[in-house]
Amino acid sequence: MTMNILVVDDEELARQRIQSLLQENSEYNICAEAENGAEALMMVERHQPDLILLDISMPVMDGLEVAKHLSGMPNPPAVIFTTAYGEYALEAFSTKATGYLMKPIRQEQLLKSLQSARSLNRAQRSKVLDDNEVTGAGRKHICARMRGNLELIPIEDVYYFQADQKYVTVRHKSGEVIIEESLKSLETDLADKFIRIHRNALVAKSRITGLAKNNIGRVQVKIEKIDDQLEVSRRHVAEIRRFVRNR
């Protein structure tokens, strides 16, 4: 069967090179191209490729963040990273990606990596990404679904995350969305930007303007530009007070 491939690279010449390396091989079909990570996620939704040839260093969203978002999809494609920068190798391999190609890509190396990816079925590809160890360092977006469409929310636009059973509400500048990502994983990924105020809530550190008490004496955080009332649990009150005082 023909393997459908999505080529993701911000350089048109790099995408053209991969096209030329595969143009005479009927086993592989380039079903779509993307020039940045955000566009890549849209193309994955639209074309459901079997594999992504994914550049690491790109504007808007880099390849490592794309891999992080792919891990949350029900049937993720296999991933082969491509890059001109050798220092990314260790971090890329920590995602347990199917392969890693250094630019300029040679045909022999490309075909060998594609053949390795072909040997994995969809369940195995999903397991590879489920096991990934990409950290949230450099993560710039939250990936959500709105009426069946993929929506990317910049982290800098998020006010807070609030959990309710298996779902998490993301309150952001343009409204709110629900995601299935756990509060624990968000806290791990975004510890430099968000602080836990309750077992069910994380708030953007830059958005906290102070503390107040409600009419029954419970401490709440005051959040920049919105009137939402989020309670600070007794367990976290001392830490949040220190944070507000020491900023």
Side-chain angles (χ1 to χ4, degrees):
M1 293 179 62
T2 301
M3 173 179 274
N4 289 316
I5 298 170
L6 169 63
V7 178
V8 184
D9 200 299
D10 61 325
E11 296 181 3
E12 185 177 0
L13 287 176
R15 300 196 303 272
Q16 290 176 350
R17 176 170 175 78
I18 291 174
Q19 284 270 15
S20 68
L21 293 176
L22 295 177
Q23 65 183 353
E24 295 181 2
N25 195 314
S26 61
E27 293 183 55
Y28 305 107
N29 170 54
I30 296 178
C31 62
E33 297 182 11
E35 60 182 28
N36 61 61
E39 187 180 346
L41 290 174
M42 305 299 180
M43 292 296 105
V44 170
E45 287 280 301
R46 185 178 305 168
H47 296 280
Q48 297 293 307
D50 300 301
L51 178 138
I52 305 180
L53 290 170
L54 181 60
D55 188 27
I56 291 181
S57 180
M58 295 183 293
V60 184
M61 180 190 295
D62 66 27
L64 294 171
E65 185 175 356
V66 172
K68 176 73 177 178
H69 292 304
L70 288 175
S71 69
M73 292 184 174
N75 292 300
V79 173
I80 295 176
F81 283 113
T82 65
T83 187
Y85 302 100
E87 66 266 23
Y88 287 112
L90 186 59
E91 188 173 1
F93 278 128
S94 77
T95 69
K96 299 182 173 67
T98 304
Y100 185 90
L101 294 170
M102 290 291 295
K103 297 177 182 178
I105 296 170
R106 297 200 299 271
Q107 188 177 50
E108 181 183 355
Q109 292 175 318
L110 176 59
L111 293 176
K112 184 177 179 180
S113 292
L114 292 176
Q115 193 58 43
S116 294
R118 181 183 284 279
S119 67
L120 299 177
N121 60 35
R122 280 278 183 181
Q124 289 170 322
R125 292 171 198 167
S126 182
K127 179 68 163 59
V128 166
L129 282 170
D130 283 344
D131 288 345
N132 80 62
E133 297 169 5
V134 183
T135 68
R139 182 174 176 181
K140 297 177 182 177
H141 300 82
I142 295 297
C143 190
R145 288 183 184 278
M146 288 289 287
R147 294 177 290 277
N149 296 317
L150 204 64
E151 181 177 352
L152 294 174
I153 303 157
I155 294 293
E156 63 190 24
D157 288 353
V158 176
Y159 293 110
Y160 64 81
F161 301 100
Q162 190 166 36
D164 182 11
Q165 297 182 17
K166 66 176 289 191
Y167 298 104
V168 170
T169 296
V170 184
R171 179 71 162 91
H172 59 96
K173 279 185 179 180
S174 301
E176 60 182 46
V177 295
I178 293 174
I179 60 175
E180 293 188 30
E181 194 166 352
S182 74
L183 205 64
K184 181 177 175 58
S185 69
L186 290 166
E187 183 177 27
T188 300
D189 284 358
L190 303 171
D192 59 328
K193 296 182 176 68
F194 287 78
I195 189 168
R196 187 178 284 272
I197 65 163
H198 193 281
R199 62 180 176 79
N200 70 355
L202 300 172
V203 179
K205 294 177 180 178
S206 63
R207 302 287 184 179
I208 297 176
T209 60
L211 298 175
K213 287 188 176 181
N214 62 17
N215 56 8
I216 59 171
R218 298 285 178 83
V219 176
Q220 296 177 324
V221 290
K222 294 162 66 176
I223 302 174
E224 173 188 76
K225 295 182 180 178
I226 61 174
D227 296 326
D228 300 33
Q229 298 179 342
L230 294 184
E231 184 179 321
V232 181
S233 69
R234 289 174 180 156
R235 176 182 176 184
H236 292 93
V237 165
E239 178 187 2
I240 300 303
R241 279 182 173 150
R242 280 196 302 273
F243 169 77
V244 171
R245 185 172 59 245
N246 295 332
R247 274 197 313 178

